[in-house]
C-alpha cells in the first residue's frame, strides 16, 4: 500500500470518550495551534487571543474557539488563553506529552540541518540516533550525537525505543530505509525524499515537500 500525507490518529480528551478519534480536520487544526503557541512561548508570550491565533493560522477565530471549547474551558474573555497551559493541554489531546525518540537517516546537509534544528525538540521529539551508509561520515559528530552505521539500525531502534524514523536520504535509498524501519517495528516515518514509499497499512508515512506546500499556498493566494 502506498502511503503519503498525514493520516488520522487517535486521541482521548475531555471531549472524547475512550476509543474515539479526532477527525482529521480537528487534529490538523490543533497541530497548527500548537505550532503557533510553541513559538509564542519561545518569544516569552504568556497569553494569546483567538484572534491572534487566527492571524497566524488563517483559521476563523470562531472555529478556533469551537475547537478548543470541545475539550474544556481554556480561555478567559478579555484575557485570552494562557500559552503554557494551552500547549500542555493540546499536547495531551494529541497524545504528544512526554518525550518521543527519533532516528534520523542521512547525515548530509539536510540531515545535519534537521539535527541542529529545534523543530522536533520543541514538540517533545528527541533525535537520539543518526545513521548513514557512507564510511566517510560514520563516526562524525553532529551536535551531541555520533553518526552510526546503518547496519546497526534494528538494535538501536530497540535499545533507544525509537518511535519515529526521519528520512533525509536520496530518493533511491528511501524505500530500503523504510523497509528496515518497518521490520524493526517503527510505525511512523517522516519522509523528506520525493520517493513514494510502499509500507503496510498500519504504518504512517508523512512526506514533506516544500514544492507541494508552495503549490498549496499559491492556489489559495491566486484564486
Amino acid at each position: 500500500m502506498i502511503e503519503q500525507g498525514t493520516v488520522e490518529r487517535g486521541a482521548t480528551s475531555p471531549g472524547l470518550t475512550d476509543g474515539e478519534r479526532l477527525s482529521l480536520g480537528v487534529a490538523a487544526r490543533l497541530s497548527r495551534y500548537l505550532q503557533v503557541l510553541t513559538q509564542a512561548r519561545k518569544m516569552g508570550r504568556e497569553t494569546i487571543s483567538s484572534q491572534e491565533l487566527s492571524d497566524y493560522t488563517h483559521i476563523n477565530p470562531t472555529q478556533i474557539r469551537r475547537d478548543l471549547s470541545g475539550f474544556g474551558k481554556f480561555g478567559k474573555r478579555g484575557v485570552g488563553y494562557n500559552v503554557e497551559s494551552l500547549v500542555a493541554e493540546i499536547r495531551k489531546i494529541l497524545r504528544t506529552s512526554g518525550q518521543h525518540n527519533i532516528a534520523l537517516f542521512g547525515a548530509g546537509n539536510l540531515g545535519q540541518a534537521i539535527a541542529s534544528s529545534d523543530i522536533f525538540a520543541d514538540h517533545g521529539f528527541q533525535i537520539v540516533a543518526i545513521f548513514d551508509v557512507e564510511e566517510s561520515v560514520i563516526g562524525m559528530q553532529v551536535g551531541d550525537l555520533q553518526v552510526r552505521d546503518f547496519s546497526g539500525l534494528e538494535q538501536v531502534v530497540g535499545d533507544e525505543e525509537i518511535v519515529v524514523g526521519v528520512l533525509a536520504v536520496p530518493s533511491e535509498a528511501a524505500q530500503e530505509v523504510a523497509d528496515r524501519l518497518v521490520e524493526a517495528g517503527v510505525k511512523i516515518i517522516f519522509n523528506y525524499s520525493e520517493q513514494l514509499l510502499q509500507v503496510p497499512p498500519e504504518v504512517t508515512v508523512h512526506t514533506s515537500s516544500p514544492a507541494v506546500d508552495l503549490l498549496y499556498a499559491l492556489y489559495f493566494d491566486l484564486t
Side-chain angles (χ1 to χ4, degrees):
M1 177 179 180
I2 294 178
E3 296 280 335
Q4 187 178 29
T6 303
V7 302
E8 186 172 332
R9 277 289 179 259
T12 57
S13 70
L16 296 172
T17 60
D18 288 342
E20 282 190 293
R21 295 177 182 269
L22 294 172
S23 71
L24 183 60
V26 171
R29 291 194 298 273
L30 288 176
S31 298
R32 291 173 67 184
Y33 306 155
L34 183 58
Q35 181 180 18
V36 171
L37 289 162
T38 300
Q39 292 304 312
R41 182 174 63 179
K42 291 175 71 173
M43 294 167 61
R45 293 286 303 274
E46 294 184 359
T47 61
I48 193 168
S49 68
S50 58
Q51 182 60 57
E52 288 176 302
L53 281 172
S54 176
D55 292 340
Y56 288 115
T57 62
H58 304 294
I59 297 171
N60 188 287
T62 301
Q63 180 66 63
I64 293 171
R65 291 191 292 270
R66 184 181 299 120
D67 286 338
L68 297 177
S69 65
F71 301 100
K73 188 174 181 180
F74 299 126
K76 289 185 178 181
R77 186 181 296 275
V79 176
Y81 300 100
N82 180 277
V83 170
E84 188 70 36
S85 64
L86 192 52
V87 165
E89 291 297 333
I90 293 179
R91 289 189 64 186
K92 285 180 185 178
I93 295 166
L94 294 175
R95 290 183 176 177
T96 61
S97 297
Q99 178 178 307
H100 306 279
N101 290 343
I102 290 176
L104 172 63
F105 296 86
N109 291 336
L110 176 58
Q112 291 183 46
I114 294 170
S116 63
S117 170
D118 293 332
I119 188 171
F120 291 117
D122 284 343
H123 297 283
F125 295 94
Q126 187 70 35
I127 297 174
V128 297
I130 304 175
F131 293 90
D132 209 295
V133 297
E134 294 292 337
E135 292 185 6
S136 61
V137 299
I138 293 171
M140 181 177 69
Q141 196 78 17
V142 178
D144 296 329
L145 300 172
Q146 278 193 332
V147 179
R148 302 174 187 244
D149 191 319
F150 180 58
S151 62
L153 181 156
E154 286 80 5
Q155 182 173 349
V156 174
V157 166
D159 291 347
E160 299 287 351
E161 299 181 338
I162 303 294
V163 296
V164 180
V166 176
L167 276 56
V169 298
S171 294
E172 60 269 21
Q175 186 63 59
E176 180 185 356
V177 178
D179 291 343
R180 292 279 297 275
L181 283 169
V182 171
E183 290 175 8
V186 173
K187 302 295 186 185
I188 303 172
I189 298 173
F190 203 96
N191 178 27
Y192 278 97
S193 82
E194 293 297 322
Q195 180 68 34
L196 294 178
L197 300 178
Q198 293 186 329
V199 298
E202 67 272 14
V203 176
T204 299
V205 174
H206 176 83
T207 297
S208 178
S209 171
V212 172
D213 292 340
L214 179 57
L215 287 170
Y216 178 85
L218 284 173
Y219 172 79
F220 285 100
D221 185 62
L222 299 175
T223 59

